[in-house]
Amino acid sequence: MNFNLSEEHKMIRDAARDFAQNELLPGVIERDEKQHFPDELVKKMGDLGFLGIMVDPKYGGSGMDTISYVLIMEELSKIDASASVIVSVNNSLVCYGLEAYGTEEQKQKYLTKLATGEFVGAFCLSEPEAGSDATSQKTTAIDKGDHYILNGTKNWITNGGRADVYLVIAQTDRDKGSHGINVFIVEKGMEGFHIGPKENKLGIRGSDTHTLQFNDVKVPKENRIGDDGSGFRFAMKTLSGGRIGIAAQAIGIASGAYELALKYSKERKAFGTEICNHQAIAFKLADMYSDIEAARYLVMRAAWDKDQGANYDVSSAVAKLQASKTAMQHTTEAVQIFGGNGFVKDYHVERLMRDAKITQIYEGTSEIQKIVISRSITKN
Ligand code: CAA
Ligand code: FAD
């Protein structure tokens, strides 16, 4: 076991840190207020290779490993989790799925553009009646020979408004249950595909989240990814990798709040001394530091499992469960350390606290991570 980052990993981390400081920090409060994330910043992330981090260079990707992905996610999330969720969805849920399960034609047509940031992707599993209970898909895709006819509603879709390519999960044969589910590539602009209004959210407000409606959308058969009936397993395998990215996002949010709170506690005076000299504050900082370190190792472990070709279904669930709990707990403590200043927007910690909450909800709630973990540890 080697706990040191390689020189290459340090360079990647520093590049993401510089980008976050120089490009994401200016305007982050305004973007949160206006619920907006400009296309120019997405393009810059694409130019830096952040939208196809793990994709093979022959498809336009950066060819990096999962550890690099985690480092980039953490650095971006320290400053702006709305930026990092764009990176996470595009990398883990869209590019990964296409590269691992797509045909060569699908890769040439879509992955090459998604990996460079020319296209942005969205992953559409959740529905009004199928969130945690993801096998209860109501969206249908009826086989018509050379095409499918897609009908249904997807909600909570990240990048829903800005994406060019949507991976849509749908039921093709209800009698087969989860084995009668497929995943399809749907392009923006296909007839019958409608994008609903943007959700007004608690956190990650720069990220656009939409309901999508599919009314008799004609999807060519060559747009189905993988073998017939493999869509649910596709979604689950893809989400295992996605959960590593969201766990890294949670670590970034937590450590962003910790770094701000530490600095503030060394400057702010009360009762004749800097507040870090009060043990109640010093112990909060010690808890933050140690919990973040512990969760970060779990995230690295899951990333390492994936890079080694080992199974990462459980290690990614453990990492997400612990990292998201740490993020919620310690962003709240950071607000406490800032006192009244923590409650206003200029000091950033209130936004980090609001952003932390989503990491316990999306890509499987904390309760769902416990289902994944408990099923694994209790099975004979
Ligand atoms: N890999 C491969 N196959 C898997 C699998 C995995 N990780 N997990 C399950 N499967 C297979 C099962 O083996 C089973 O197949 P068999 O019948 O052949 O055994 C089939 O899939 C159905 O699995 P389950 O019986 O375990 O299904 P379930 O109904 O009990 O649900 C669940 C399992 C883990 C709770 C799953 O529904 C789940 O993960 N729910 C949460 C959904 C979720 O995470 N949504 C996130 C949406 S995307 C998002 O949120 C993005 C964003 O915000 C940015
Ligand atoms: P429900 O499933 O209704 O759950 C409600 C509560 O019940 C939760 O606390 C849950 O943990 C609990 N619960 C449910 N079942 C069980 C059980 N068996 N045991 C114990 N507790 C249980 N989805 C996508 O497909 N693509 C996206 O890009 C995407 N982006 C998102 C962005 C945002 C900002 C948000 C808010 C959501 C996004 N989602 C996306 C959807 C997200 O994955 C779901 O919200 C999540 O999976 C939970 O589903 P639900 O909201 O329907 O809650």
Side-chain angles (χ1 to χ4, degrees):
M1 250 186 288
N2 181 355
F3 289 95
N4 295 319
L5 291 179
S6 67
E7 286 309 311
E8 196 186 342
H9 283 137
K10 284 184 197 160
M11 275 170 53
I12 290 163
R13 180 198 60 195
D14 293 348
R17 188 173 290 173
D18 288 348
F19 173 76
Q21 281 296 329
N22 299 330
E23 303 282 352
L24 294 180
L25 186 57
V28 65
I29 295 174
E30 194 185 359
R31 292 197 297 274
D32 173 72
E33 267 172 11
K34 295 197 169 149
Q35 302 196 81
H36 175 64
F37 196 85
D39 290 342
E40 307 85 75
L41 280 178
V42 179
K43 184 173 180 320
K44 282 182 182 171
M45 295 198 291
D47 292 346
L48 283 166
F50 292 170
L51 294 178
I53 297 168
M54 294 163 288
V55 176
D56 192 318
K58 77 177 178 194
Y59 298 117
S62 306
M64 299 184 212
D65 59 7
T66 315
I67 300 282
S68 307
Y69 171 53
V70 158
L71 294 170
I72 293 168
M73 280 298 294
E74 177 174 344
E75 292 304 324
L76 302 185
S77 307
K78 276 185 191 175
I79 305 294
D80 189 353
S82 294
S84 67
V85 73
I86 298 172
V87 170
S88 152
V89 168
N90 205 70
N91 277 283
S92 295
L93 301 185
V94 181
C95 286
Y96 169 81
L98 270 167
E99 189 166 19
Y101 302 101
T103 61
E104 189 55 31
E105 290 71 30
Q106 290 168 345
K107 291 180 200 177
Q108 292 299 342
K109 189 169 177 189
Y110 300 107
L111 182 61
T112 50
K113 293 191 167 127
L114 287 158
T116 54
E118 188 180 337
F119 278 180
V120 171
F123 178 84
C124 313
L125 175 65
S126 302
E127 300 184 355
E129 293 173 75
S132 301
D133 186 7
T135 58
S136 294
Q137 293 287 306
K138 300 288 184 288
T139 298
T140 55
I142 305 302
D143 191 341
K144 295 285 185 186
D146 66 343
H147 66 275
Y148 287 87
I149 294 292
L150 185 67
N151 274 290
T153 305
K154 295 287 171 182
N155 64 351
W156 306 122
I157 303 307
T158 300
N159 298 339
R162 70 161 10 106
D164 306 278
V165 173
Y166 299 75
L167 303 190
V168 182
I169 286 98
Q171 194 83 43
T172 44
D173 186 343
R174 199 156 302 283
D175 293 341
K176 292 186 180 160
S178 69
H179 293 271
I181 290 175
N182 276 294
V183 57
F184 301 95
I185 303 166
V186 175
E187 293 179 30
K188 179 179 262 164
M190 280 183 167
E191 207 179 329
F193 173 26
H194 303 287
I195 300 168
K198 197 192 283 187
E199 299 291 347
N200 185 0
K201 306 194 297 292
L202 170 77
I204 55 161
R205 286 168 57 79
S207 161
D208 68 308
T209 315
H210 296 257
T211 294
L212 309 177
Q213 190 72 44
F214 303 93
N215 297 330
D216 289 333
V217 179
K218 191 173 167 184
V219 183
K221 204 147 217 180
E222 64 262 25
N223 281 25
R224 192 186 78 207
I225 303 177
D227 297 336
D228 189 17
S230 66
F232 190 71
R233 272 167 290 133
F234 170 95
M236 290 295 111
K237 283 312 301 174
T238 304
L239 279 165
S240 288
R243 287 166 185 165
I244 301 175
I246 299 304
Q249 181 183 53
I251 293 298
I253 295 170
S255 54
Y258 162 72
E259 286 171 15
L260 290 170
L262 179 65
K263 183 167 181 288
Y264 186 81
S265 74
K266 292 178 181 174
E267 292 163 359
R268 174 73 179 167
K269 287 189 177 160
F271 297 90
T273 185
E274 289 77 14
I275 59 171
C276 65
N277 295 324
H278 298 300
Q279 199 181 55
I281 299 295
F283 278 16
K284 277 191 205 306
L285 292 164
D287 282 341
M288 285 170 135
Y289 176 79
S290 50
D291 287 349
I292 292 167
E293 277 288 289
R296 186 182 283 117
Y297 286 125
L298 292 173
V299 178
M300 286 295 183
R301 167 64 201 255
W304 186 83
D305 281 346
K306 183 162 177 283
D307 285 337
Q308 299 304 309
N311 189 299
Y312 51 94
D313 295 336
V314 174
S315 56
S316 63
V318 171
K320 183 176 183 288
L321 178 67
Q322 293 300 331
S324 61
K325 185 161 72 178
T326 300
M328 198 62 240
Q329 183 181 346
H330 291 310
T331 52
T332 309
E333 288 292 47
V335 170
Q336 191 68 18
I337 290 173
F338 271 80
N341 282 337
F343 209 64
V344 294
K345 294 189 184 289
D346 312 22
Y347 289 84
H348 298 287
V349 284
E350 64 81 35
R351 187 187 69 257
L352 291 165
M353 186 179 99
R354 288 188 283 107
D355 287 352
K357 187 60 207 171
I358 193 60
T359 65
Q360 294 184 305
I361 296 174
Y362 58 18
E363 302 212 12
T365 63
S366 295
E367 290 78 10
I368 293 305
Q369 307 312 323
K370 288 183 193 180
I371 290 177
V372 172
I373 298 161
S374 61
R375 280 185 185 170
S376 162
I377 59 181
T378 59
K379 81 173 174 213
N380 291 320

